[in-house]
Amino acid sequence: MSVRLVYFAWVRERIGLSGEEYPLTQSLPAGELAAKLRALSAGHAEALTDLSRLRLALNQQQVGWDALVSPGDELALFPPVTGG
Amino acid sequence: MSVRLVYFAWVRERIGLSGEEYPLTQSLPAGELAAKLRALSAGHAEALTDLSRLRLALNQQQVGWDALVSPGDELALFPPVTGG
Amino acid sequence: MSLFEVRVQAGPFEIGAEQARLSALTPEVGAVVSFTGQVRDAPLLLEHYPGMAEREMEALLADARARWPLIGAIIVHRHGPLAVGEPIVLVLTASSHRRAAFEACEFLMDWLKTRAPFWKKDALGWVDARDSDEQAAARWD
Amino acid sequence: MSLFEVRVQAGPFEIGAEQARLSALTPEVGAVVSFTGQVRDAPLLLEHYPGMAEREMEALLADARARWPLIGAIIVHRHGPLAVGEPIVLVLTASSHRRAAFEACEFLMDWLKTRAPFWKKDALGWVDARDSDEQAAARWD
């Protein structure tokens, strides 16, 4: 049981991965999950220190940090978008 | 000494001419000139009865009925524009 | 480099070709907005006042340039008989930023509708001017 | 007939070809508005979130259709490396009347800038999001 994490732009670069599986056995808020991820590496810690600079999408829908992440979900972490 | 008159759209069709020379020896307001033109034919009378339905351009610049028309000028009479 | 141009012509125009001329002007072009008007519902005949038409369109471009930081703009207006679906008018604006390009394009169209000496005739006769067009143009006063 | 389409692609697009698809939809099409964004000043790399990007763009089209009487709309957004002057994004809207086509096109661009998962990187690093884009999008709330 895990959650699929995907990273974009400087979040991806600082973590050094475009994505990874993270073990998850029960639902928890995205903000709490992000706090746990900081322990994974120095890069994770740096990328995820200030959550106010990040945006997130749960199963490809933009959500807030209180969104509940469940096993099997896809959670994306990225900076505010700059396309167009 | 004359003024060059040009007509467009239904003004042209009612008068039956796309343009004509009209004798003019001294300047007068466009509204007074238009009133004189009504005497030229039944078509002129019909086209020029209600000046509020018409617009005018003096030497290719939009003006009002009080604009002074002088010998040698080009005066255009036409309905409100509908291009674009 | 900048490019500001007006044309009145009987034949059709190619939006791709016209837009390419604006896109390539300078590396500062970041936004190009276009408006294309096309014949809806029934065929039209478009009459115009040669000379004055170009002159009014030039004056509109000068007005738009005074209001927005444009790098280029092109207005092409057709005359003569036009079938349903055929393009009537093209307005293209280029600027560094999208807001200027959008606003200038809309301004030019609103004013073209109420200032440029063109008249449409369809099977029912000469098309009447619409109050809604006057109101649209008045927004920019 | 109507046509609503979004695409994310690495290669360029042809505004003439895309616009022709909207122009020909029905005799009710009277106005087609386009916005083209192009790379300004320095080369860019555009990263995106495959799947979600298309999904957000589809959601924006649905939102635009609920607000304006559109006959068609196309959004094409590129990804990957892009040189100065190259087109990044194309938004096309078609309606019977110009106001709807203009407003919907501007709405779609404003929301694309703040909703669609694309990120620009230039020689100085990742481009920061701009407050002015947030404010532009908020106009439509």
Side-chain angles (χ1 to χ4, degrees), chain C residues 62-77:
Chain C
D63 199 348
R65 293 177 70 173
R67 291 166 181 244
W68 292 279
L70 299 179
I71 298 168
I74 296 172
I75 306 176
V76 186
H77 203 304

Side-chain angles (χ1 to χ4, degrees), chain D residues 6-139:
Chain D
V6 305
R7 302 202 312 271
V8 178
Q9 63 189 43
F13 47 78
E14 284 283 346
I15 186 175
E18 303 296 342
Q19 170 143 349
R21 299 168 64 208
L22 294 184
S23 293
L25 280 176
T26 78
E28 280 79 47
V29 174
V32 182
V33 169
S34 78
F35 173 87
T36 305
Q38 64 183 54
V39 182
R40 197 160 56 95
D41 299 331
L44 287 177
L45 182 71
L46 260 156
E47 182 168 323
H48 78 297
Y49 187 173
M52 182 177 165
E54 290 85 349
R55 200 171 170 148
E56 282 288 330
M57 289 154 73
E58 292 278 9
L60 293 179
L61 279 191
D63 199 349
R65 294 177 70 174
R67 292 165 180 244
W68 292 279
L70 298 179
I71 298 169
I74 296 172
I75 307 177
V76 186
H77 203 304
R78 295 176 71 188
H79 66 86
L82 296 170
V84 172
E86 280 202 80
I88 304 170
V89 61
L90 173 67
V91 177
L92 275 165
T93 52
S95 182
S96 293
H97 299 290
R98 72 184 184 285
R99 188 70 56 229
F102 267 118
E103 290 187 355
C105 190
E106 204 165 356
F107 165 86
L108 287 169
M109 265 315 297
D110 284 344
W111 279 100
L112 263 180
K113 287 255 174 195
T114 56
R115 300 279 310 179
F118 290 85
W119 299 272
K120 288 190 183 113
K121 188 181 192 180
D122 62 20
L124 302 173
W126 294 96
V127 173
D128 282 328
R130 292 184 312 184
D131 286 344
S132 61
D133 285 330
E134 285 291 338
Q135 288 155 14
R139 289 189 304 153

Side-chain angles (χ1 to χ4, degrees), chain B:
Chain B
M1 304 261 274
S2 65
V3 56
R4 174 76 194 158
L5 299 168
V6 289
Y7 309 125
F8 294 99
W10 55 255
V11 179
R12 174 179 55 71
E13 288 182 343
R14 287 182 195 173
I15 291 177
L17 296 169
S18 59
E20 60 189 318
E21 296 288 330
Y22 184 81
L24 189 73
T25 52
Q26 58 181 50
S27 301
L28 84 173
E32 285 182 34
L33 178 57
K36 286 172 181 265
L37 296 176
R38 284 185 204 127
L40 289 177
S41 75
H44 285 80
E46 188 196 343
L48 307 176
T49 296
D50 181 0
L51 297 188
S52 74
R53 297 186 61 205
L54 300 183
R55 299 293 178 270
L56 61 160
L58 186 60
N59 300 322
Q60 306 194 354
Q61 305 263 21
Q62 299 207 32
V63 294
W65 291 108
D66 55 350
L68 273 188
V69 182
S70 300
D73 282 349
E74 175 174 293
L75 178 69
L77 301 174
F78 46 77
V81 304
T82 56

